[in-house]
Amino acid sequence: MAQPTLHIHGTIISTYSRIVQTVAEEAGISWTITATPAGSPENRRRHPFRKVPTVEIDGLNLYESVAICQYIDNAHNGGALQPNDHIARAEMDRWISVANNYLFPVAEHGLLMPRLAHRFLKTPLRSDIIEAALPEIAEHLGVICQRVEEAPYFAGSDFSLADIFIYCILRPVQMTSEGNNLIGQLLPLRHWLNKTGKRPSLIQTQWETEKQ
Ligand SMILES: N[C@@H](CCC(=O)N[C@@H](CS)C(=O)NCC(=O)O)C(=O)O
C-alpha cells in the first residue's frame, strides 16, 4: 500500500507538532504543516479542547498527540516504536505520561513561554515566573535523568515513542540558558540528549532556531 501524506494543522514551532512530525519521519511518511493557531475558529472545529496539532491521514481527522503517534506507528510502521514486552510497554506509557502531565506544563509555562515572549514580542523578561518554576523543573529533570542512568532508552533497551516525547519537550528547555545550566549538571541526561538528537528523524524536524 502506498504511504499516505500526513497533513498537520498547528503552530509551526511547536513541541507537539514536532512530536508527530518525528513519528511520521520514523514511519517514512511525508508530512505537510499548515499554520493553525490553537485559538483560531478553524482549530476549534478541529480540536474541541483547542490544542494543536490536529492531523488528517487516511481519511481520518485525529487530535491528541498520543493517539496520532500510536495510529501512525501502528498503521504505517509496524508498531516499531512501541515495545511488545509488557514491562517495556508500561515503562513507555509511564514516561509519555510523565512528559505530558508533569514536564511539559511547567517547562512550557514556567520557562519557554516567558523566554519566547521576551525574545519575539520584546516584552520584559518575566524572571519572577522563571525563578519560581526552576526548582520544579530541576526536580523533574533529576527524576528523568535517573531513568537514563538505568537504561539506554526510556522504555528500556530500545528507542520508543517515549524518547520522542521526552526529547521534543527537553530540547527547547536545553536551548534556554537556565535549562542548559540544569541539564549541564546531569551528565547521563546530556549524553542521552546528544545521542537521541543524532537520530535522522529528529535532525529532519529540527527548528530553525536549533540550527543556528
Ligand atoms: N494534549 C495535547 C497537548 C498539545 C499542546 O499542549 N499543544 C500546545 C502547543 S505545543 C498548544 O496547543 N498550546 C496552545 C494552548 O494551550 O492554548 C496533545 O497531546 O496533543
Side-chain angles (χ1 to χ4, degrees):
M1 189 175 76
Q3 291 288 59
T5 296
L6 176 75
H7 298 287
I8 304 167
H9 301 262
T11 320
I12 306 286
I13 302 294
S14 143
T15 294
Y16 285 93
S17 296
R18 186 178 186 189
I19 288 170
V20 303
Q21 287 161 359
T22 304
V23 175
E25 291 284 342
E26 290 280 339
I29 288 182
S30 57
W31 52 269
T32 65
I33 181 158
T34 306
T36 313
S40 64
E42 180 180 352
N43 197 54
R44 285 181 188 202
R45 285 191 295 276
R46 292 185 175 278
H47 196 312
F49 299 93
R50 298 174 203 169
K51 298 287 182 188
V52 289
T54 66
V55 305
E56 293 166 51
I57 185 168
D58 297 333
L60 300 167
N61 289 299
L62 298 175
Y63 65 85
E64 285 302 301
S65 304
V66 172
I68 295 167
C69 293
Q70 291 191 350
Y71 176 80
I72 296 170
D73 190 50
N74 289 331
H76 298 290
N77 197 26
L81 296 171
Q82 302 166 86
N84 290 325
D85 174 78
H86 297 319
I87 297 173
R89 182 60 179 247
E91 288 289 356
M92 182 190 83
D93 290 343
R94 182 220 306 269
W95 291 106
I96 291 175
S97 287
V98 166
N100 289 341
N101 295 317
Y102 310 133
L103 189 57
F104 179 75
V106 68
E108 177 82 350
H109 300 295
L111 178 57
L112 301 174
M113 295 310 281
R115 278 266 161 222
L116 284 175
H118 178 60
R119 180 169 174 188
F120 294 108
L121 305 177
K122 308 287 179 214
T123 54
L125 181 65
R126 290 293 307 271
S127 315
D128 56 324
I129 295 180
I130 296 176
E131 288 304 316
L134 283 180
E136 193 178 337
I137 294 174
E139 197 180 345
H140 291 355
L141 291 176
V143 177
I144 286 168
C145 184
Q146 279 175 22
R147 178 60 183 155
V148 286
E149 284 184 89
E150 287 168 7
Y153 295 105
F154 281 88
S157 54
D158 296 319
F159 183 82
S160 77
L161 290 177
D163 298 284
I164 295 177
F165 275 78
I166 294 195
Y167 183 87
C168 292
I169 292 171
L170 275 193
R171 183 64 187 129
V173 171
Q174 192 185 29
M175 286 159 61
T176 65
S177 54
E178 296 87 353
N180 191 38
N181 219 0
L182 291 174
I183 291 170
Q185 299 166 42
L186 300 168
L187 209 56
L189 190 57
R190 194 146 55 86
H191 283 159
W192 175 85
L193 277 160
N194 286 342
K195 170 181 78 175
T196 306
K198 294 191 171 67
R199 219 169 152 90
S201 59
L202 286 160
I203 293 175
Q204 281 300 118
T205 59
Q206 277 179 350
W207 294 343
E208 284 307 313
T209 48
E210 201 173 341
K211 296 177 191 162
Q212 287 159 14

